[in-house]
Amino acid sequence: MGVVRSAITTAEQQHRVYKAFDWIVIPIVVLVIIGAFHIHFMLTAGDWDFWIDWKDRRWWVTITPITLIFFPAALHYLFWQHFRLPFGATLCCAGLLAGEWVSRVVNFVGWAYYPLNMVVPAEIIPMALVLDSVLLISRSFLVTGVIGSMIWGLIFYPANWAIIAPYHVPVEYNGNMMSIADLMGYSYVRTGTPEYIRIIEEGTLRTFGESVVPVSAFFAGFISVFAYFIWVGIGKALAKTIWVKKL
Amino acid sequence: MGEPTEITDVDVSKGLVGAKRIAIIFFVVLATMVAWRVYQQVFAWEKGLDSFEAEFDVYWMNLLYTQWILEFTAAAVVWGYLIKTRDKDVFNITPQEELQRHFTLIAWLFAYVWIVYWAASFFAEQDASWHQVTVRDTDFTPSHIVLFYGVMPCYILAGVGSFLYARTRLPQFAKRLSIPFVIAVLGPFMILPNVGLNEWGHTFWFMEELFAAPIHWGFVVLGWTALALGGLFLQIIPRMVQLTQLEEELTEDMND
């Protein structure tokens, strides 16, 4: 087709076209991230995120950071490599939280009638801010992957501590010790979640009492490092501009 | 035919987004989704708990059949219209026309992702809440009917529509296939057929309702493909830069 002729003639028109493009592309990016990231997250770590009595010291702390880093890493590649925009992780996590909160309030509370403090989602913004900041400061996927992802895993539980601590106060209920969270799970009946499929820490003979959260968080950070690099690669693969004549 | 159209002096830069067009898409989709949600609120608890009752047939199975008829009709009409009215002289359009059509494509993509939000985020997680208040006695629960057979076909309609629009109206997409575009439309499309795997698994093994169960991971992998929209925009943007270049280097303060 040779040289492409321009559709405009003045700088003012160019400016207007660019602004128009910006204003329509932003909602598109936000909406697709909410949709795609939410379905990924709810079907990999959703059960721990839905219920206050699944937010334990071992599984929740391990699984959430690992599966949560997939999309932030992919968007780090797309946004940073192509546009030098340093907010891929924060956009992902804020979008996920927006989608979760709408659904929890309108569906879990408004339709299924669970109390909101039973179905409150995990807090994930602090991790995202750190991951983005490390990328912005280091300007390196390698440094972000190794250091940022480790911090990402380590600060997940502390970030949520203030929210879940009130539910870990013990109560004596019919002669048994339960946490408030356990009691809520016991009281508000879930037909699809009998007690035996609740995947939470139950203790082992090789566990040494107080070290559960630190060990889990450290392990989550370690696996997040690998997940980060894999997902930067997947982000790169999906951002490839391939054209073919026919399939 | 064959003669390149003359460049006119019309200023195409105004109203490119089509605020009215976007507003219509936004509110039509919103109204449809709210209607589904209100219907559920009113009839799920009253008529949707026991699928063996006659009223379940009336209120829920009839909704399902109505949706199927409407969706197949809409897909045939919309996709058929886009193909029937294709631009047969697509390589000879003016740059102005091409720029405007790019923004129409972007409006299609907006419709697509706006429905994807409702399907993949809102109604998908809603299904988790319904699984916790019933022990299902059918694959066609009030939440499944709306999610799998109502909302998901809607975004497939818009997604394939956007692909067909580009294929038939834009020179860049008419002469070759964009792989990221194919992935971004076909992957989420395959979420619907993946219901086959999902219901097969749930029907023959009682999986309880662990939402993170491996039987659900097919949806996850197909959801990832939406990230290919990034690749699509990386194909659209350079073309739009070409269409909006200026003869001489002019700089203008863009920070407002």
Side-chain angles (χ1 to χ4, degrees):
Chain A
M1 294 212 299
V3 180
V4 181
R5 287 169 304 163
S6 182
I8 54 158
T9 48
T10 69
E12 191 199 358
Q13 290 175 336
Q14 188 187 49
H15 186 173
R16 207 179 287 130
V17 175
Y18 286 2
K19 286 291 165 188
F21 183 75
D22 283 349
W23 280 114
I24 188 60
V25 86
I26 289 168
I28 288 176
V29 169
V30 170
L31 286 170
V32 76
I33 286 172
I34 297 177
F37 193 29
H38 197 175
I39 197 166
H40 156 78
F41 187 68
M42 91 176 86
L43 294 177
T44 51
D47 300 280
W48 291 271
D49 202 68
F50 294 154
W51 313 110
I52 192 77
D53 62 335
W54 281 63
K55 293 183 168 53
D56 72 327
R57 300 192 298 175
R58 178 180 169 188
W59 293 104
W60 178 55
V61 174
T62 306
I63 288 165
T64 307
I66 294 172
T67 68
L68 191 70
I69 206 168
F70 289 11
F71 273 55
L75 279 205
H76 264 190
Y77 181 84
L78 180 67
F79 282 9
W80 181 257
Q81 194 68 19
H82 290 286
F83 303 100
R84 281 293 182 268
L85 292 174
F87 49 69
T90 311
L91 184 66
C92 272
C93 291
L96 176 63
L97 276 182
E100 285 180 340
W101 272 99
V102 169
S103 172
R104 301 295 158 83
V105 171
V106 178
N107 298 321
F108 278 74
V109 177
W111 198 33
Y113 302 111
Y114 291 104
L116 184 57
N117 59 5
M118 186 185 182
V119 297
V120 67
E123 169 63 301
I124 51 179
I125 298 292
M127 313 150 74
L129 290 173
V130 169
L131 198 66
D132 282 339
S133 306
V134 174
L135 180 67
L136 180 60
I137 294 165
S138 70
R139 309 171 71 80
S140 154
F141 288 127
L142 180 67
V143 173
T144 311
V146 175
I147 296 174
S149 304
M150 181 55 81
I151 302 174
W152 166 277
L154 287 175
I155 68 170
F156 171 65
Y157 196 77
N160 283 276
W161 210 328
I163 298 171
I164 62 170
Y167 302 98
H168 289 182
V169 175
V171 289
E172 188 192 325
Y173 187 74
N174 289 342
N176 296 303
M177 187 175 80
M178 300 175 92
S179 69
I180 299 288
D182 289 331
L183 187 56
M184 291 176 79
Y186 180 74
S187 304
Y188 297 100
V189 176
R190 288 166 299 197
T191 55
T193 309
E195 173 62 20
Y196 61 86
I197 73 161
R198 181 158 68 121
I199 302 174
I200 58 161
E201 181 204 359
E202 291 166 335
T204 75
L205 291 177
R206 293 179 186 278
T207 307
F208 305 105
E210 296 301 312
S211 60
V212 175
V213 168
V215 165
S216 299
F218 191 52
F219 176 57
F222 175 66
I223 301 298
S224 296
V225 172
F226 294 99
Y228 182 86
F229 289 120
I230 291 167
W231 273 84
V232 166
I234 291 177
K236 185 178 179 180
L238 288 169
K240 275 199 190 324
T241 55
I242 307 168
W243 297 95
V244 295
K245 279 289 179 193
K246 69 191 280 281
L247 283 175
Chain B
M1 292 267 288
E3 286 292 308
T5 324
E6 282 303 308
I7 300 177
T8 53
D9 290 333
V10 181
D11 182 1
V12 288
S13 68
K14 284 177 183 161
L16 275 174
V17 170
K20 194 174 157 193
R21 178 168 71 184
I22 296 294
I24 290 171
I25 293 170
F26 179 84
F27 285 110
V28 167
V29 171
L30 183 69
T32 314
M33 301 303 160
V34 169
W36 258 315
R37 183 63 187 78
V38 169
Y39 189 89
Q40 287 178 320
Q41 192 79 23
V42 176
F43 294 119
W45 287 97
E46 292 288 322
K47 319 283 184 191
L49 289 178
D50 183 353
S51 74
F52 294 94
E53 285 191 11
E55 57 195 13
F56 191 93
D57 266 351
V58 175
Y59 287 89
W60 290 102
M61 296 313 284
N62 282 345
L63 174 68
L64 178 68
Y65 305 139
T66 312
Q67 283 174 182
W68 275 343
I69 292 166
L70 288 177
E71 283 151 6
F72 279 108
T73 312
V77 169
V78 174
W79 298 348
Y81 175 83
L82 283 169
I83 294 169
K84 183 76 184 161
T85 60
R86 67 190 180 278
D87 189 343
K88 290 175 182 164
D89 197 19
V90 70
F91 295 110
N92 277 324
I93 58 173
T94 62
Q96 286 92 340
E97 180 67 23
E98 190 178 342
L99 187 63
Q100 283 170 333
R101 289 184 187 181
H102 265 106
F103 275 88
T104 308
L105 171 63
I106 291 168
W108 272 100
L109 292 174
F110 174 75
Y112 178 44
V113 301
W114 178 216
I115 309 173
V116 163
Y117 158 74
W118 286 96
S121 178
F122 187 86
F123 284 106
E125 202 182 278
Q126 182 206 41
D127 190 35
S129 74
W130 192 249
H131 277 299
Q132 301 300 329
V133 291
T134 57
V135 176
R136 62 165 148 181
D137 53 1
T138 170
D139 292 334
F140 299 106
T141 61
S143 58
H144 281 188
I145 287 173
V146 172
L147 169 65
F148 292 138
Y149 313 104
V151 187
M152 280 183 182
C154 282
Y155 79 61
I156 290 171
L157 184 70
V160 175
S162 67
F163 186 84
L164 289 176
Y165 182 87
R167 190 90 178 122
T168 55
R169 263 77 167 172
L170 285 163
Q172 195 186 13
F173 293 92
K175 65 177 175 183
R176 53 203 172 155
L177 283 162
S178 154
I179 290 298
F181 205 170
V182 172
I183 294 172
V185 170
L186 203 60
F189 179 104
M190 290 303 291
I191 286 178
L192 184 57
N194 187 68
V195 172
L197 163 70
N198 184 53
E199 298 304 320
W200 182 77
H202 280 296
T203 301
F204 298 116
W205 299 292
F206 190 48
M207 300 289 291
E208 305 295 349
E209 298 300 349
L210 187 64
F211 223 57
I215 198 85
H216 289 158
W217 292 352
F219 295 117
V220 176
V221 176
L222 295 166
W224 295 346
T225 58
L227 283 171
L229 279 176
L232 173 63
F233 274 107
L234 292 177
Q235 291 177 323
I236 291 177
I237 290 169
R239 182 65 179 181
M240 292 181 72
V241 169
Q242 285 180 339
L243 289 169
T244 53
Q245 66 205 343
L246 293 170
E247 296 261 327
E248 61 271 27
E249 279 298 315
L250 287 171
T251 53
E252 186 172 353
D253 183 15
M254 301 288 279
N255 299 315
D256 56 291

